[in-house]
Amino acid sequence: MKDLKHLIYFEDLLQEANNELVKQAAADGKKALGYTCYFVPEVLLNLGGCFSVRLRAPGTSNTDIGTYYMTNKTCPFTRSILERSMEGGYNFLSAMFSSETCQMMHRAHEYFDIMGLVKEQNPDFFLSMMDVPFVTTKAAYEHYENQLRKHILEPLEKVYGVDISDKAIRAAIGEHNEICDIISELGELRKLPNPPITSYEFHVLQLVSECCPQYLIKDKLLETLKEVRKRKVDPKPNYRARIVVTGSEVDDPAFTKLLEDCGVYVVADRYCYGSLPGREQIEIREGESALTAVARHYLSTSECPRFMNKEKQVQRRSYLKQLVNDYDADGVLYLQMKFCEYWSYERVMGVHDMNEVEGIPCIGVEKEYTMASAGQLRTRFQAFVESIEIKKLQGGKM
Amino acid sequence: MKKKLLIGALSVVPLSMLIYWFNLDNKLLYYGVRPILNKVYNSYQRNVSL
Amino acid sequence: MADERKRFYKGSGIAKHREWRGLKDTFYDYLQWVVNLGILAQFAAKSPVRIVKGLFEYRWFGGYIGALHMTDKCTAGLRGPALRTAHIQMHAIMKGTTGMLADSMIGDRRFGDTDAADKFVMLEQTMCPEIVAGFPNLKALPLEVLQGLLGTYMDQNLAPFYMDIMENVGLPADSCRLSANAAGVAINDDYPEVGACLITNNMPCDSSTMNSQLIERRIKIPTTVAGIPMRWEDESTDRYALAQMKEVIKFIEDTTGEKFDEKAFFKVMKQHNKEVRNEFEVWEYAKTPYTAFGNVISPLFHAFYFTFSGGSMPYIDKAAKKALKVAEKAYKNKTVSFDKARHRMITWGGPGCYFVDFNTWAYNCWGVLVPAQMDMFSGNVIISEDDLDDALLGIAHNYERGVMRRHLTGGYQHLLEVWDEAEKFNCDMVLVYDDITCKGAMGLAGVVNDQAKDKNKHLVWVQNDMFDHRTISRNEMRRQFSEYMTAVMQEEPLDESLVDFDDYEGW
């Protein structure tokens, strides 16, 4: 297929957190609000005068400082974030929003406070950390909404005078939904047997929509969507197996490239930093406030293994199964970041359930944040693809 | 009979002291009971499943 | 006590004979051993057939035959008032533990249907029993702790079996051992089939959150989640915490048919508060050179009553008051119970549970007394004795400040309280356990090191693998500490034979 016009531009933007568009938005006087976790609603960080930046640590080759502070037995993603923040890589931020959802991630964020990071560049910088429920009862939704108000909206209003009214949140939801529309339509194209977008390209676009000021990237994303709609595909699809990828944090498109090199087409990105969930429309129901809608949306759509109630456990399995069906997938790949407690158990249970209960080919792998163990991963992925091909040849039903 | 019972009852104390001092209780449990229990546990077929 | 190790068989660590503590203390120790036998006899008598069945059915149950051995090693080197308080507390622990074991077997449906099974509310992990206090016809029983933590204290070989099961199904070896053990027990179908319902929870950490979900898959009784807030210092979480407690109570009512009884509830809360106030008194003695509390058993007693009693075991208060009387007398007479102490050390972080008597060893080998350790500061919430909402919120706060949770969640400042507590307890040394699978504590390792330098404090790190002695054995833990004592503290051991010895095979 012909290369996408803006792909190289998008790839460049992903090379650093403080990229060209982030700098431009800051120069426009907008506040850069950092976050990593889905429980911090992206939409609220895009209220008027602000823009969200989902933090990554691209190109982190060593984590000496992060390892000193957090030891080498903690999540490499969080150590990389810590490394980058200690190096000053996030000094452009006006605030950092976090939640005590994952022990290692929130610890890494706490260093903003412990070390007084960013404060020298911006004395108004603050870290705000909220509590998130483990279940989805009525009281839990109310609690989450209260936490959003107390730990995101009120600090924004107090420190930066951000308009946090219902009207402002509705406007932010409107803009958020526009981005979601673009990414979702691109994502839907992956359902086709010969998709006009590669899984790598989609990953780049999804990341760019999270890491760049959305008001500045929207036009190019829209342009790309139009380009993809009209794109002439290759005569035959260039993959051997269609796979749903689920798991913990995947913010490096090189990983998706590795999968593609092994013959995988990632039909659905059901991992942290992916679009499923993340790029669904936020719907405001009749009679509810915009904030209530946001709270309901993020809590109900979250696929985080942290949710303990049975309904959510069932939801995670059935959602995966639904993705396999909707995207005509041949199998599921569970990815677990090394040292991730949540996804290590989820991977164990999920791989078992997919294979033994649902009869869907599934493997689970552990990965580093960087592509350090690419060789080993390649072997695993190639073997998985071959097993799927053999199963197809033997007439096994998917 | 009563005399025998009395002797028996009185000898419990020094006997128990001997067991205590020479740690015979733990020796019996560790060297005697524990291997038997381990054999029993290892012989079981448990319903191992996720 | 020089050359103390000659008294033990190599490898097994079984003593050839018991410790000579002088005529008076040895005779006292003998009498306490008889009391322990009595407790064990009472335990067996509660339901001999089911208990024997349980012993032969459950591998973890077999670990408890090491109970007397554990008592011996935890009281090693103790004399006078310290020996007495240790035994008083240990009796209560033993009574409570055997009571719970007996209940587990009496209610175990695996050994035949029984009405008794429905009289228990199972509580997962470190969830304390106060929430069941309002149901006088029901009893709280712990799930997981009997099969993991307590068992490992007695037998270091217990947990590896279950952890290996988890690794065989794909769980990485770096995952929290406590949770892996609990999950392995579930996969191996080794939990007693007891209880009307189960309350799972998110304590104390990420892996507990996950292992609860795995365990639920193998539990046949109705379950619900008590998802207590993590940000426990944030008052805005109180409303939700209270709502969670009410949901749990409703769940118990719905599944058992019992009704919440406020009068019975407050009676137990009064007792809970007594337990907490007793503990505060213990601390006051522990801060002084005339303390009769120290090393292993006093913190164990705290962890025990926090997790299992919560006011429901009246003998806890009795034992505490009896021990306090001994301590008071010792203090008044300026009796130095720990006369070998050259240093006072506070321990922090996740300990090696397979080395439950580490503190005792540190005292006997190096003259390092441990008057305080991290878990002592968990819970300790005074609960309202007359307002229900306040009381339920108090219970939620008690959970939030539970074992491990108190210091690993809610903000980094909690883990760093070690320095303040070291000051309060007049400790010149700080030991931080580097549990190599405990992500919550590891995240602040560098900060702890930095602060030690700033405060010019003696800080020693001792790595351990919590439940798995195969990775880092007891002897390896001893080696780490001994290296520090020689190289940094420039001390000679009080007993050379205790520095390096083989007890790998033993209990």
Side-chain angles (χ1 to χ4, degrees):
Chain A
M1 291 187 288
K2 192 174 159 197
D3 287 345
L4 291 174
K5 180 178 166 191
H6 297 300
L7 186 65
I8 293 175
Y9 175 68
F10 292 145
E11 285 169 342
D12 281 343
L13 287 171
L14 293 177
Q15 293 313 305
E16 25 175 336
N18 193 15
N19 57 51
E20 166 195 321
L21 292 184
V22 168
K23 285 176 183 157
Q24 187 184 327
D28 288 347
K30 293 197 186 279
K31 305 298 176 198
L33 306 179
Y35 76 111
T36 54
C37 181
Y38 186 72
F39 284 116
V40 176
E42 183 190 38
V43 65
L44 294 182
L45 307 192
N46 283 300
L47 287 165
C50 306
F51 66 96
S52 61
V53 182
R54 200 161 191 187
L55 298 186
R56 299 162 62 241
T60 303
S61 51
N62 85 63
T63 53
D64 285 346
I65 304 173
T67 300
Y68 168 75
Y69 280 103
M70 294 184 70
T71 82
N72 58 357
K73 299 180 286 297
T74 52
C75 168
F77 164 59
T78 59
R79 266 187 285 141
S80 301
I81 294 288
L82 175 58
E83 186 80 16
R84 196 52 62 85
S85 60
M86 297 283 251
E87 286 170 351
Y90 306 129
N91 283 353
F92 62 91
L93 290 175
S94 302
M96 180 67 193
F97 290 96
S98 182
S99 51
E100 192 162 342
T101 36
C102 145
Q103 280 191 294
M104 288 175 271
M105 185 181 64
H106 97 276
R107 275 281 181 255
H109 296 166
E110 282 184 322
Y111 279 89
F112 280 98
D113 255 0
I114 297 171
M115 297 294 174
L117 300 173
V118 188
K119 277 284 192 185
E120 215 176 301
Q121 287 73 23
N122 177 9
D124 289 333
F125 172 86
F126 63 88
L127 166 71
S128 185
M129 183 122 16
M130 61 179 183
D131 188 81
V132 176
F134 286 82
V135 295
T136 47
T137 57
K138 185 162 168 280
Y141 280 103
E142 284 169 10
H143 173 60
Y144 183 55
E145 187 181 329
N146 286 337
Q147 289 291 295
L148 294 180
R149 185 178 298 109
K150 186 176 176 195
H151 291 290
I152 297 181
L153 297 182
E154 287 173 6
L156 278 176
E157 186 186 43
K158 185 177 170 195
V159 179
Y160 293 120
V162 172
D163 180 1
I164 60 169
S165 64
D166 189 76
K167 190 177 170 189
I169 300 174
R170 282 173 191 266
I173 289 174
E175 284 162 14
H176 173 88
N177 284 347
E178 284 178 28
I179 296 287
C180 292
D181 268 344
I182 299 169
I183 301 295
S184 292
E185 191 180 330
L186 285 163
E188 287 284 305
L189 293 168
R190 295 175 299 177
K191 289 179 177 174
L192 297 170
N194 192 0
I197 185 168
T198 69
S199 32
Y200 168 79
E201 287 165 344
F202 181 81
H203 197 179
V204 168
L205 294 170
Q206 162 62 9
L207 284 173
V208 148
S209 76
E210 290 179 319
C211 303
C212 300
Q214 289 174 351
Y215 78 104
L216 290 176
I217 201 70
K218 194 169 99 176
D219 287 344
K220 287 203 165 60
L221 286 175
L222 199 50
E223 225 182 295
T224 307
L225 170 61
K226 288 174 182 165
E227 194 184 338
V228 170
R229 279 177 188 151
K230 289 191 281 204
R231 202 179 195 188
K232 202 172 167 198
V233 297
D234 292 335
K236 271 173 70 175
N238 191 23
Y239 61 80
R240 292 155 63 193
R242 297 166 63 91
I243 303 293
V244 172
V245 177
T246 183
S248 48
E249 208 266 354
V250 185
D251 72 14
D252 187 354
F255 180 79
T256 306
K257 199 88 179 94
L258 171 66
L259 280 165
E260 284 188 341
D261 290 345
C262 299
V264 168
Y265 185 75
V266 178
V267 290
D269 49 335
R270 205 312 43 231
Y271 45 76
C272 301
Y273 284 55
S275 67
L276 298 163
R279 288 290 173 246
E280 298 80 9
Q281 297 280 300
I282 298 176
E283 177 207 336
I284 306 176
R285 289 178 188 160
E286 190 71 42
E288 74 178 354
S289 72
L291 184 62
T292 303
V294 168
R296 180 176 44 71
H297 176 86
Y298 279 89
L299 220 53
S300 61
T301 58
S302 173
E303 295 288 314
C304 185
R306 183 184 183 269
F307 282 111
M308 296 173 71
N309 51 319
K310 284 250 168 66
E311 297 80 11
K312 273 296 204 184
Q313 292 180 46
V314 167
Q315 178 186 312
R316 293 199 292 273
R317 301 287 180 273
S318 59
Y319 185 59
L320 264 185
K321 199 175 160 192
Q322 185 199 316
L323 289 177
V324 167
N325 289 336
D326 290 352
Y327 286 81
D328 194 28
D330 300 317
V332 175
L333 167 63
Y334 267 87
L335 280 177
Q336 173 221 322
M337 185 71 70
K338 201 158 169 56
F339 301 117
C340 180
E341 294 279 13
Y342 286 147
W343 280 99
S344 60
Y345 276 89
E346 185 72 4
R347 172 171 67 80
V348 164
M349 292 187 282
V351 168
H352 170 270
D353 290 351
M354 285 296 124
N355 281 317
E356 309 299 325
V357 178
E358 305 297 346
I360 297 171
C362 180
I363 60 163
V365 300
E366 220 180 42
K367 71 181 267 300
E368 288 278 351
Y369 179 58
T370 63
M371 295 296 291
S373 51
Q376 289 170 4
L377 292 175
R378 189 186 300 274
T379 311
R380 295 288 312 272
F381 298 151
Q382 283 171 341
F384 184 45
V385 168
E386 277 165 24
S387 72
I388 288 173
E389 284 179 321
I390 289 169
K391 193 162 180 175
K392 278 182 183 168
L393 281 171
Q394 289 172 348
K397 273 186 96 163
M398 293 296 160
Chain B
M1 184 63 183
K2 270 187 188 169
K3 200 178 175 185
K4 273 188 184 164
L5 279 172
L6 186 63
I7 292 169
L10 285 175
S11 54
V12 163
V13 172
L15 186 64
S16 69
M17 282 180 166
L18 273 172
I19 294 171
Y20 163 82
W21 177 249
F22 287 106
N23 199 24
L24 297 178
D25 49 325
N26 282 317
K27 284 174 184 169
L28 173 66
L29 287 169
Y30 187 83
Y31 294 111
V33 175
R34 192 173 186 247
I36 296 171
L37 285 176
N38 283 339
K39 248 193 187 147
V40 168
Y41 300 142
N42 291 340
S43 69
Y44 280 151
Q45 289 286 350
R46 307 290 306 184
N47 175 15
V48 182
S49 151
L50 263 170
Chain C
M1 266 191 87
D3 213 6
E4 170 67 0
R5 221 42 222 178
K6 248 175 46 178
R7 191 164 65 83
F8 297 87
Y9 295 113
K10 265 198 195 128
S12 69
I14 296 292
K16 293 171 188 167
H17 62 82
R18 280 195 159 89
E19 186 184 341
W20 179 251
R21 304 171 195 256
L23 189 61
K24 191 175 168 194
D25 282 346
T26 305
F27 185 68
Y28 174 80
D29 191 65
Y30 155 73
L31 289 176
Q32 304 320 302
W33 173 79
V34 172
V35 170
N36 283 337
L37 288 183
I39 294 172
L40 292 173
Q42 277 178 8
F43 156 64
K46 283 186 200 256
S47 183
V49 173
R50 278 177 170 257
I51 285 168
V52 169
K53 276 185 175 174
L55 180 63
F56 281 94
E57 175 74 25
Y58 299 116
R59 184 181 291 267
W60 54 265
F61 201 150
Y64 285 87
I65 64 173
L68 294 172
H69 175 81
M70 181 195 154
T71 305
D72 289 342
K73 51 181 194 187
C74 289
T75 55
L78 297 185
R79 305 283 184 268
L83 181 65
R84 279 139 185 83
T85 59
H87 273 301
I88 291 167
Q89 291 176 325
M90 198 62 194
H91 290 325
I93 291 172
M94 207 178 255
K95 189 170 176 182
T97 306
T98 53
M100 291 185 295
L101 278 171
D103 283 342
S104 299
M105 298 303 112
I106 287 167
D108 195 342
R109 297 178 183 94
R110 204 186 292 260
F111 306 135
D113 261 328
T114 164
D115 289 337
D118 292 328
K119 293 298 166 201
F120 298 108
V121 173
M122 307 305 289
L123 300 177
E124 214 220 339
Q125 211 56 274
T126 52
M127 187 166 186
C128 27
E130 285 85 346
I131 198 66
V132 185
F135 299 94
N137 297 331
L138 300 175
K139 248 173 140 176
L141 256 192
L143 191 78
E144 296 175 27
V145 190
L146 289 179
Q147 292 77 23
L149 192 62
L150 285 181
T152 302
Y153 286 156
M154 264 158 273
D155 184 358
Q156 63 176 344
N157 300 287
L158 173 65
F161 176 82
Y162 293 113
M163 292 184 299
D164 285 352
I165 290 175
M166 279 313 294
E167 287 178 35
N168 283 340
V169 297
L171 191 73
D174 57 70
S175 189
C176 170
R177 306 314 233 157
L178 184 137
S179 301
N181 175 79
V185 172
I187 291 184
N188 205 48
D189 191 26
D190 256 2
Y191 280 117
E193 291 176 13
V194 61
C197 57
L198 167 67
I199 323 280
T200 65
N201 61 73
N202 58 327
M203 290 177 283
C205 61
D206 295 355
S207 64
S208 291
T209 298
M210 295 311 298
N211 89 340
S212 301
Q213 297 178 48
L214 189 149
I215 285 164
E216 263 190 307
R217 292 154 73 103
R218 298 304 306 267
I219 297 290
K220 295 167 191 159
I221 51 181
T223 62
T224 195
V225 179
I228 318 294
M230 300 293 266
R231 305 292 296 171
W232 50 267
E233 277 196 329
D234 180 353
E235 280 175 5
S236 71
T237 64
D238 280 353
R239 199 176 132 174
Y240 178 59
L242 176 59
Q244 282 279 277
M245 293 296 97
K246 288 183 173 175
E247 280 176 26
V248 168
I249 288 175
K250 183 163 183 320
F251 171 76
I252 298 174
E253 286 182 333
D254 290 345
T255 46
T256 64
E258 297 284 335
K259 278 287 165 239
F260 187 82
D261 180 338
E262 267 189 48
K263 202 170 161 196
F265 173 72
F266 283 120
K267 193 173 169 200
V268 177
M269 291 309 103
K270 282 192 171 78
Q271 204 62 23
H272 159 99
N273 289 339
K274 282 184 191 171
E275 290 174 3
V276 174
R277 289 187 184 107
N278 290 337
E279 177 71 3
F280 291 152
E281 252 195 86
V282 168
W283 294 359
E284 293 311 308
Y285 290 113
K287 290 169 185 173
T288 75
Y290 312 113
T291 178
F293 299 110
N295 290 343
V296 180
I297 293 185
S298 192
L300 254 187
F301 183 73
H302 170 93
F304 182 85
Y305 81 69
F306 167 82
T307 316
F308 304 124
S309 173
S312 63
M313 296 177 181
Y315 49 85
I316 292 289
D317 178 45
K318 264 191 193 156
K321 290 206 161 59
K322 196 173 171 189
L324 280 167
K325 263 208 182 103
V326 172
E328 190 187 17
K329 190 178 172 191
Y331 181 78
K332 277 195 175 131
N333 295 339
K334 294 206 173 0
T335 308
V336 177
S337 297
F338 297 97
D339 54 357
K340 287 191 287 197
R342 301 185 290 195
H343 299 280
R344 291 168 63 93
M345 180 172 77
I346 189 168
T347 67
W348 214 249
C353 298
Y354 50 87
F355 199 169
V356 67
D357 56 323
F358 178 91
N359 297 350
T360 306
W361 168 81
Y363 174 69
N364 290 317
C365 183
W366 292 103
V368 176
L369 171 67
V370 179
Q373 62 184 50
M374 190 174 88
D375 289 342
M376 272 166 53
F377 305 106
S378 53
N380 298 324
V381 173
I382 296 291
I383 294 175
S384 171
E385 294 174 19
D386 48 32
D387 183 290
L388 184 59
D389 274 8
D390 273 352
L392 291 179
L393 189 58
I395 293 176
H397 286 170
N398 206 42
Y399 291 151
E400 288 166 350
R401 292 149 177 79
V403 172
M404 296 296 277
R405 228 175 179 278
R406 164 75 176 73
H407 299 93
L408 299 183
T409 66
Y412 63 87
Q413 63 275 18
H414 303 129
L415 192 71
L416 304 176
E417 286 167 9
V418 57
W419 311 111
D420 287 340
E421 299 299 349
E423 287 292 312
K424 285 180 198 164
F425 283 83
N426 300 303
C427 295
D428 61 316
M429 286 178 68
V430 170
L431 181 153
V432 177
Y433 284 114
D434 181 11
D435 173 356
I436 61 173
T437 62
C438 181
K439 317 297 194 299
M442 274 193 271
L444 289 171
V447 177
V448 172
N449 278 331
D450 286 352
Q451 289 190 342
K453 283 181 225 156
D454 292 341
K455 293 175 194 292
N456 204 21
K457 279 284 188 203
H458 290 300
L459 168 67
V460 51
W461 287 87
V462 174
Q463 275 199 337
N464 70 77
D465 197 6
M466 204 189 192
F467 273 24
D468 197 344
H469 70 293
R470 299 168 302 178
T471 329
I472 300 171
S473 68
R474 288 177 188 156
N475 211 28
E476 171 57 25
M477 288 176 66
R478 285 189 285 263
R479 188 197 61 75
Q480 293 174 60
F481 188 76
S482 298
E483 256 181 29
Y484 188 89
M485 291 305 293
T486 40
V488 179
M489 302 303 287
Q490 301 275 293
E491 293 283 12
E492 292 292 326
L494 295 174
D495 183 345
E496 190 68 49
S497 74
L498 290 175
V499 174
D500 178 15
F501 60 89
D502 175 17
D503 61 348
Y504 188 81
E505 297 301 328
W507 267 324

